[in-house]
Amino acid sequence: MLKLDSHAAGRHFLHIPGPSPVPARVLRAISYQTIDHRGPEFGELGLEILTNIKKIFQTKSPVIIYPSSGTGAWEGALVNTLSPGDLVLMYETGQFATLWRKLAERLGLKTEFIGRPGAEGWSYGVDAAKIEERLKADTAHEIKAVCVVHNETSTGVTSNIKAVRTAIDAAKHPALLLVDTISGLASADYRHDDWGVDVTISGSQKGLMLPPGIGFNALSPRAIEASKTAKLPKAFWAWDEILESNKTGYWPSTPSTNLMYGLHEAMDMILSEGLDKVFARHERLAKACRAAVQGWGLEIQCQDPAVYSPVLTGVVTPDGVDADQLRKLILERYNLSLGTGLGKVKGRMFRIGHLGDCNELSLLAALSGCEMGMKAFGINLKGSGVLAAQEVLQG
Ligand code: PLP
């Protein structure tokens, strides 16, 4: 039988871009005894969670909490706001934008995918001008929603969501704006209300430092209005019953009680540190990580410095180097887990996650593992990325 606690000596360095390491405080909270999710104590917990989660999304509107992964929350956003055959405009930034499109089509929506052609688009963020141009051409208002990924986890590109809102407004188009920040929330600055987002989709296992298992939909008044007439079939995902139960701190079905303890604790940690400080810490670590990649003489997957992700860095491996074989060596030798390349960039790059419960020394340890692993693999590095990262962190 597989023993899940039989890891090698020392700690495991989990540096995939989510799930991210779960801090001891959160793990302890999750281990508290499960209580009655219809009892008085749970209602109090529920109300506190529902209040604090709004601060994380920077919204005054309700946030739906599902016992689901992020994919469920994608589905929740679409089925509550759209009807069969509706056209949605989606933007190809990488693998997660591609998977969201596939899901939309399985639900019976029509999708239009725009972006740069080929693999090139996987190195850049959303070009809001392209969205504006497409919406202006849609004089009959056939497009019902614009769907974009804020932090594209497959590439390490963080798109400018405010620019997308501005583009929709400039086109005077009524489409809803749906944004996936599954890997951006609580790591990269994200402002649901300020940026005029109608539904924000997120998950627990990234910046929130929880295990997988909670999905979120942050709503806007327009999204709630749209949900009253949207005709895609929905039952479990339907917002109306959840919003009703949430008024007293409860849910219509059983919430993931122990993950909710963890969520309560994680939000306490994040809000005590302060959202601004959390974002600044992520920016600092990301800058150090990029300095390391440049110090090694390697290419960063994101080709536009204006949209470098503070959450993860995609590292393109030199021609002829299979990034997954390299990752395998690094995991076996140094107990360091790096993210695989996905979809169009599979085998050509790996991803270093620096999100959530991450600090200077955890990042430097991961960079050391990468550097030693790449040397052992026979890659000719230009210099020491670890030293370059240290210089950024000391500066
Ligand atoms: N969207 C993004 C940006 C993601 O990073 C992920 C997962 O990593 C998903 C969607 C899918 O979420 P999940 O795997 O939790 O269902």
Side-chain angles (χ1 to χ4, degrees), residues 208-226:
L208 284 174
M209 309 178 292
L210 290 164
I214 295 183
F216 302 94
N217 279 177
L219 316 183
S220 74
R222 273 192 76 213
I224 296 173
E225 264 320 292

Side-chain angles (χ1 to χ4, degrees), residues 17-18 69-72 74 96 149 151-153 180 182-183 205-206:
S69 82
T71 304
W74 265 346
F96 290 102
V149 175
N151 188 71
E152 179 52 78
T153 327
D180 165 344
I182 287 177
S183 61
Q205 74 271 29
K206 315 265 186 183

Side-chain angles (χ1 to χ4, degrees), residues 74-149:
W74 265 346
E75 181 159 340
L78 296 173
V79 297
N80 278 284
T81 52
L82 298 163
S83 299
D86 277 356
L87 178 61
V88 291
L89 184 65
M90 305 184 107
Y91 199 103
E92 181 174 0
T93 42
Q95 178 72 355
F96 290 102
T98 306
L99 292 176
W100 196 11
R101 178 196 192 187
K102 204 169 118 195
L103 182 141
E105 291 193 335
R106 289 187 73 152
L107 291 173
L109 294 166
K110 279 194 274 178
T111 67
E112 189 176 319
F113 218 21
I114 58 168
R116 290 181 190 231
E120 199 199 324
W122 290 39
S123 295
Y124 294 89
V126 173
D127 180 352
K130 279 200 167 74
I131 293 181
E132 183 176 335
E133 188 184 288
R134 180 62 188 94
L135 292 179
K136 276 186 173 155
D138 179 38
T139 47
H141 294 169
E142 273 180 58
I143 295 168
K144 300 300 176 206
V146 173
C147 298
V148 291
V149 175

Side-chain angles (χ1 to χ4, degrees), residues 296 321 325-331 333-334 336 338 350 365-381:
W296 292 325
V321 172
Q325 287 303 319
L326 171 65
R327 286 176 47 253
K328 184 168 177 282
L329 178 146
I330 292 172
L331 177 62
R333 288 210 185 175
Y334 304 116
L336 164 65
L338 299 164
F350 63 88
L367 295 174
S368 294
C370 293
E371 190 163 309
M372 290 191 290
M374 286 193 284
K375 283 185 187 163
F377 202 80
I379 300 176
N380 199 4
L381 300 176

